Amino acid sequence: MQGKISPIFGLFQQQFEKAKIHFSSLGKEFKGKKAIELEEKLIFLEIYIDLLSRIHFEEDKLKFKLFSPFKDIFKKLKKVKHLKMVLSQVESLKIQNNMVFSTYLKSLESDKKKLYAEAYDLIVGTPFHIWEKLYEDAFNFSKGLKPLMINTATTQIINEELEYFNLEQKTNLDSKALKDIYEGLRVIIALENLRIESGFNSIFVPDVHQHMGTLRLALFDWYQNHLFIQHLTFFLTDKESIPKKYLDLLSQLQLKKKSHTQNVVQKCKFLFERILE
């Protein structure tokens, strides 16, 4: 694989080095904040690998081959992030100070302890050479990339996300659709930033980027609330009778979800009118 290394590899290298630092840190002491930071870096690395796989489309299942050693870690870190989001909701509603929810709080702490232990064991048991191999492969596949290749591949991925948005707006924007839009916006924003930092023109104007950022923040609030409802509902599933305090809490959360949903659906439709016209 001949050719000069592409400037976009510098962006990969920055995120890669930070990811390795977080990985090493978690192998010494597992902390939720560091786990979330590592997951964020892995998201970017996966997007970059996807970009390379679009350029080197002749390489069969390139994305899977390069990123598969990190899949289990990525999934476990995502679970940690989700639990942290639930705990954040518990804190924001001051539930942790309310003794009437002591059974649920104990269950949450038990879930956290178990999940953190599993994630720590997974990281400690993961050979460090997978990082060296990922770097080597990404370096080699980043050689000889022409601007047109990068422009075409980023545009292709972004257009696929937009096509999905277009399909979703024609149906009801349910919980799955909103979650997928949240993740799709993350991909689009990452690729737009990659284009800009690499000297390419962005696909969308600054005004659209501002609306994307606003929508992502609104979707994050919606997602936290959504996860809290899911977790609490699962906790109550095996209860023969549900105390009124929990029914009241669920009702409160459902009202918040309705408000969040109305907000994000309105923002989605406003944004889609601008980028899908």
Side-chain angles (χ1 to χ4, degrees):
M1 205 169 298
Q2 303 297 319
K4 185 179 178 181
I5 192 72
S6 171
I8 68 168
F9 181 74
L11 299 174
F12 172 88
Q13 190 170 27
Q14 290 172 15
Q15 301 298 312
F16 176 86
E17 293 300 334
K18 290 177 181 177
K20 270 204 316 181
I21 292 172
H22 294 323
F23 180 82
S24 297
S25 176
L26 289 170
K28 297 172 184 175
E29 182 182 10
F30 193 89
K31 291 187 176 181
K33 183 179 178 181
K34 286 292 181 185
I36 292 173
E37 290 173 350
L38 175 56
E39 193 244 6
E40 289 175 353
K41 302 307 175 189
L42 287 177
I43 288 172
F44 178 86
L45 299 186
E46 184 178 31
I47 291 172
Y48 186 87
I49 294 302
D50 187 27
L51 176 64
L52 291 180
S53 72
R54 303 303 180 101
I55 295 173
H56 298 283
F57 54 86
E58 73 284 354
E59 296 284 341
D60 188 39
K61 298 180 179 178
L62 180 62
K63 179 182 176 181
F64 174 78
K65 291 176 182 177
L66 267 58
F67 199 74
S68 61
F70 295 87
K71 275 296 184 183
D72 288 342
I73 296 174
F74 187 57
K75 288 179 181 177
K76 192 67 71 174
L77 294 177
K78 189 173 185 178
K79 289 183 178 180
V80 171
K81 179 178 71 175
H82 286 175
L83 185 59
K84 285 281 288 182
M85 291 169 79
V86 172
L87 289 168
S88 176
Q89 289 288 286
V90 168
E91 184 177 350
S92 68
L93 293 174
K94 308 300 180 185
I95 295 173
Q96 79 274 24
N97 298 326
N98 194 334
M99 293 302 295
V100 298
F101 294 106
S102 58
T103 305
Y104 177 59
L105 295 175
K106 286 178 182 177
S107 176
L108 264 176
E109 284 302 316
S110 176
D111 289 348
K112 176 182 175 181
K113 184 177 181 180
K114 180 183 178 183
L115 181 57
Y116 279 29
E118 290 174 351
Y120 175 76
D121 289 343
L122 181 58
I123 287 175
V124 171
T126 299
F128 202 76
H129 71 76
I130 67 169
W131 291 94
E132 298 166 359
K133 183 69 168 64
L134 178 64
Y135 184 90
E136 179 184 354
D137 288 339
F139 180 84
N140 288 328
F141 282 106
S142 296
K143 288 179 180 177
L145 301 186
K146 302 293 190 290
L148 180 60
M149 295 177 179
I150 299 168
N151 179 63
T152 300
T154 52
T155 303
Q156 179 188 8
I157 298 172
I158 289 174
N159 282 341
E160 286 178 5
E161 296 295 341
L162 294 180
E163 184 178 345
Y164 178 79
F165 291 174
N166 195 27
L167 290 173
E168 288 299 336
Q169 74 162 348
K170 294 177 181 178
T171 61
N172 290 326
L173 291 172
D174 58 13
S175 294
K176 183 184 181 303
L178 292 177
K179 175 178 172 291
D180 290 343
I181 290 169
Y182 174 71
E183 294 178 350
L185 279 176
R186 182 170 60 194
V187 172
I188 290 175
I189 292 171
L191 289 175
E192 279 283 74
N193 288 337
L194 186 148
R195 288 174 62 90
I196 294 168
E197 292 186 38
S198 302
F200 297 100
N201 291 328
S202 62
I203 292 176
F204 302 109
V205 297
D207 180 59
V208 169
H209 274 280
Q210 183 178 349
H211 287 297
M212 282 184 181
T214 301
L215 175 56
R216 274 205 69 198
L217 289 175
L219 280 166
F220 180 78
D221 290 338
W222 170 87
Y223 197 25
Q224 283 198 123
N225 173 261
H226 173 70
L227 289 171
F228 192 9
I229 291 173
Q230 278 190 328
H231 191 276
L232 183 58
T233 302
F234 180 78
F235 168 76
L236 297 172
T237 299
D238 61 349
K239 301 289 186 292
E240 291 185 5
S241 61
I242 303 176
K244 184 177 182 299
K245 60 191 178 185
Y246 286 107
L247 295 176
D248 290 343
L249 177 58
L250 274 175
S251 178
Q252 179 185 354
L253 294 174
Q254 291 288 0
L255 284 173
K256 279 198 168 189
K257 183 174 183 178
K258 184 177 180 181
S259 176
H260 282 311
T261 301
Q262 289 174 342
N263 183 35
V264 295
V265 167
Q266 182 181 27
K267 282 182 167 55
C268 281
K269 293 187 179 299
F270 180 78
L271 177 63
F272 294 170
E273 286 176 1
R274 287 171 169 259
I275 65 177
L276 297 175
E277 57 186 17

